[in-house]
Amino acid sequence: MSSTSSCLVTKLSHYVSLSQADCARLATLEKAERTFDAGHEVYQGGDENKDLYVVKHGWAFSYTDLPDGRRQIVKIHHPGDIIGFPDVALKHATTTLRTVEDVCLCPFPKSSLDEILRESPKLSALLLSIALRDQVVLIDVLRAMGRMSAQERVSYMLLDLISRLRITNPGMTDTIRLPMTQSQIADYLGLTNVYISKTFIRMEEDGYIHRDQNRLQILREDAMIELTDFHDRYADMDTSWFPQD
Amino acid sequence: MSSTSSCLVTKLSHYVSLSQADCARLATLEKAERTFDAGHEVYQGGDENKDLYVVKHGWAFSYTDLPDGRRQIVKIHHPGDIIGFPDVALKHATTTLRTVEDVCLCPFPKSSLDEILRESPKLSALLLSIALRDQVVLIDVLRAMGRMSAQERVSYMLLDLISRLRITNPGMTDTIRLPMTQSQIADYLGLTNVYISKTFIRMEEDGYIHRDQNRLQILREDAMIELTDFHDRYADMDTSWFPQD
DNA sequence: CGTCCCTTTGATCCATTTCAACATTCGTGG
DNA sequence: CCACGAATGTTGAAATGGATCAAAGGGACG
């Protein structure tokens, strides 16, 4: 299995150069493979926490429901992402994982982390950094949810998505495929499907975006960056303090 | 320096038993000590990221502002907490740190983490778990901000605070000291100070809470837990997969 | 005892929700 | 290849939770 076949290695080596041994360690995480249809629930909140997953292709998301049915999507997963990482700290899954489209996932057991922590300080530092960077991103989302209007939130979401996709896909320009429904976008941004529709229409009229099928073009990225005070958290991390192998 | 003098050791050994060597490693993080007056800004978002801090006593919080002044408080820090952990992944601080009252902090350099990652797999696993658990907590906050009413958010905040304080303070019953102003609570919950006032009054009338000076008693904890579908993320973590020293 | 900060109160306003109907797209089987 | 039904998106009217604004109380502290 060559390292180029692994989205995870692609994503992680964007930040720091990895030894052969470390690449091999990561590759073993993607040994197993399972495919799921669109709209399938892979595991549910409350389930015992057995596996983590690396996304090979397709989009998925994690969500929680309140008892009365209100739903909050907390994370959108793309190829190369590790799913279920936060739940490693706890005995039971805190979210439900649902596919957006047909998806291929690579499950691996929590205990694989044990080996990494014992044998590769550098990879440990990288995993820790990813976890901490994801915290920063969650904080950005929190800021959006707590203090931004609908249009600002939508803008923030689009900027975040395109920044993430650019990491593994450097050829990307200003157009993204957006396979999620407006109801799902609403559940991610803490709004309603109706208001997402109205906001998209408004943003299109105002020349911020252009929609065509499920493709979305960002026309005024700079204006949206200013509107939301957006910071790209993905482009680079501080790896200067990492232990050397 | 005995281990009982360290809030950090107290907090961490709640989850897993630590070797003498590991306790000593943690204790060195708390060697230095600085005190700050109430309402002081210790560092600002955008500053170069040099130190982390362990809280020795007093409350503080981290926040970000939008360019037009809207503020979001993203984390409230208590004794034993590590401040600035998420920013380790990045070169610059993403939030500003402000004290709520007189505070004593122990600064230590990022590079101390390097030593821990190289020398103690178990402590590395614990730090990683803390980071991941904090992600779960942020997800809970996100759910509250995205989908809960004002009264539910206030309830969630109070339950979260009391759960955290119970870790280092097992004698705690149902009454907490709440040194934050209503404006600060509003900035944490994505509301306004006016509406926080109205919500507190309503909750007091309805018999959920009782206020006296800056002490707050939770009268109907069970009802509030049900109202918010609250889960305690602090009481225990899954340490079963940790490497042994 | 005056000043400043915090909390409370009430009136009014507005962004978003809710509800309901209608339009469009898409997948599926006949 | 078309017809159908289900899911998704759009539209408009009415309702509402929380924001905004402004003024008045209350407490702590010099």
Side-chain angles (χ1 to χ4, degrees):
Chain A
M1 178 180 300
S2 85
S3 65
T4 58
S5 72
S6 162
C7 303
L8 184 57
V9 171
T10 307
K11 196 159 240 179
L12 296 191
S13 49
H14 181 267
Y15 299 110
V16 67
S17 73
L18 295 170
S19 68
Q20 285 290 340
D22 283 345
C23 285
R25 264 187 271 272
L26 291 174
T28 62
L29 300 184
E30 291 183 63
K31 244 181 354 207
E33 219 177 86
R34 290 186 63 190
T35 60
F36 299 91
D37 288 342
H40 186 265
E41 306 218 322
V42 178
Y43 60 78
Q44 309 241 351
D47 284 2
E48 199 183 346
N49 227 340
K50 29 179 230 327
D51 284 331
L52 293 159
Y53 299 86
V54 177
V55 183
K56 201 135 202 175
H57 65 250
W59 288 29
F61 60 82
S62 296
Y63 71 89
T64 46
D65 284 346
L66 287 171
D68 68 356
R70 283 173 284 180
R71 175 165 299 181
Q72 180 65 45
I73 293 178
V74 298
K75 172 105 191 180
I76 300 164
H77 308 286
H78 299 148
D81 286 350
I82 297 173
I83 295 178
F85 208 17
D87 291 337
V88 164
L90 304 171
K91 298 194 172 80
H92 300 274
T94 58
T95 57
T96 299
L97 175 62
R98 168 181 271 259
T99 60
V100 170
E101 52 192 342
D102 292 356
V103 156
C104 176
L105 303 180
C106 305
F108 67 92
K110 234 183 200 187
S111 51
S112 303
L113 296 177
D114 170 10
E115 188 191 324
I116 289 175
L117 287 164
R118 275 188 289 104
E119 302 190 357
S120 174
K122 193 178 196 176
L123 217 44
S124 303
L126 186 54
L127 285 180
L128 179 59
S129 290
I130 297 280
L132 294 171
R133 196 270 319 274
D134 285 350
Q135 262 192 68
V136 172
V137 171
L138 277 173
I139 286 170
D140 288 342
V141 178
L142 202 62
R143 179 173 90 138
M145 304 273 293
R147 291 302 186 204
M148 287 186 189
S149 71
Q151 183 170 336
E152 289 165 336
R153 292 190 215 185
V154 169
S155 301
Y156 169 76
M157 179 186 180
L158 296 176
L159 292 171
D160 183 69
L161 283 178
I162 204 164
S163 298
R164 289 173 64 189
L165 294 171
R166 278 175 180 149
I167 295 293
T168 40
N169 204 342
M172 272 202 70
T173 55
D174 61 353
T175 303
I176 58 180
R177 193 177 59 91
L178 222 189
M180 295 169 73
T181 68
Q182 293 186 354
S183 292
Q184 289 166 348
I185 294 170
D187 286 339
Y188 180 62
L189 295 177
L191 299 163
T192 58
N193 58 347
V194 173
Y195 209 65
I196 291 293
S197 173
K198 287 173 179 168
T199 303
F200 268 140
I201 289 166
R202 169 72 103 84
M203 288 179 72
E204 200 155 21
E205 284 169 0
D206 292 353
Y208 286 101
I209 58 172
H210 175 71
R211 291 180 295 163
D212 181 41
Q213 310 275 76
N214 63 5
R215 303 197 65 79
L216 190 148
Q217 185 179 10
I218 295 179
L219 298 174
R220 301 176 56 198
E221 185 166 345
D222 289 348
M224 286 163 65
I225 287 173
E226 190 176 349
L227 184 68
T228 58
D229 189 38
F230 181 79
H231 296 268
D232 186 340
R233 309 298 188 187
Y234 305 99
D236 47 34
M237 295 202 306
D238 182 9
T239 56
S240 63
W241 60 278
F242 278 25
Q244 291 305 312
D245 274 334
Chain B
M1 180 182 298
S2 86
S3 65
T4 58
S5 72
S6 160
C7 301
L8 184 57
V9 172
T10 307
K11 196 158 239 178
L12 296 191
S13 50
H14 181 268
Y15 299 111
V16 68
S17 73
L18 295 169
S19 68
Q20 285 289 339
D22 283 344
C23 285
R25 265 187 270 272
L26 291 175
T28 62
L29 301 184
E30 290 182 65
K31 245 182 351 207
E33 220 178 84
R34 291 186 63 192
T35 60
F36 300 91
D37 288 343
H40 187 265
E41 306 218 320
V42 178
Y43 60 78
Q44 309 241 351
D47 284 1
E48 199 183 346
N49 228 339
K50 30 179 230 325
D51 284 330
L52 294 158
Y53 299 86
V54 177
V55 183
K56 203 135 201 176
H57 66 250
W59 287 29
F61 60 82
S62 295
Y63 71 88
T64 46
D65 284 346
L66 288 171
D68 68 355
R70 284 174 284 181
R71 174 166 299 181
Q72 181 66 45
I73 292 178
V74 297
K75 173 103 190 180
I76 300 165
H77 308 285
H78 298 146
D81 287 349
I82 297 173
I83 295 178
F85 208 17
D87 291 336
V88 164
L90 304 171
K91 297 193 173 79
H92 299 275
T94 59
T95 56
T96 299
L97 175 61
R98 168 180 270 257
T99 60
V100 170
E101 51 191 342
D102 292 357
V103 156
C104 175
L105 303 180
C106 306
F108 66 94
K110 236 183 199 187
S111 51
S112 304
L113 296 177
D114 171 9
E115 188 193 324
I116 289 174
L117 287 164
R118 276 187 288 104
E119 301 191 356
S120 174
K122 194 179 195 175
L123 217 44
S124 303
L126 186 54
L127 285 181
L128 179 60
S129 290
I130 298 280
L132 294 171
R133 195 271 319 275
D134 285 350
Q135 262 192 67
V136 172
V137 171
L138 277 173
I139 286 170
D140 288 341
V141 178
L142 202 62
R143 179 173 88 139
M145 304 273 293
R147 291 302 186 203
M148 287 187 191
S149 71
Q151 182 169 336
E152 289 165 337
R153 291 189 215 185
V154 169
S155 300
Y156 169 77
M157 179 187 180
L158 297 176
L159 292 171
D160 184 68
L161 284 178
I162 205 165
S163 297
R164 288 174 65 189
L165 295 170
R166 278 176 181 149
I167 295 293
T168 38
N169 204 341
M172 272 202 69
T173 54
D174 60 353
T175 303
I176 58 181
R177 191 176 61 91
L178 222 189
M180 295 169 73
T181 68
Q182 293 186 356
S183 292
Q184 290 166 346
I185 294 171
D187 287 338
Y188 181 63
L189 295 177
L191 299 163
T192 57
N193 59 345
V194 173
Y195 210 65
I196 292 293
S197 172
K198 287 173 179 166
T199 303
F200 268 141
I201 289 166
R202 169 72 103 81
M203 288 179 73
E204 200 156 20
E205 285 169 0
D206 293 353
Y208 285 101
I209 58 172
H210 175 70
R211 291 180 295 163
D212 181 40
Q213 310 274 74
N214 64 3
R215 303 197 64 79
L216 190 148
Q217 184 178 10
I218 295 179
L219 297 173
R220 299 176 56 198
E221 186 166 345
D222 289 348
M224 287 162 64
I225 288 172
E226 189 175 348
L227 184 68
T228 58
D229 189 39
F230 180 80
H231 296 268
D232 186 340
R233 309 298 189 188
Y234 305 98
D236 47 36
M237 295 202 307
D238 182 8
T239 56
S240 63
W241 59 277
F242 277 26
Q244 290 306 311
D245 274 334

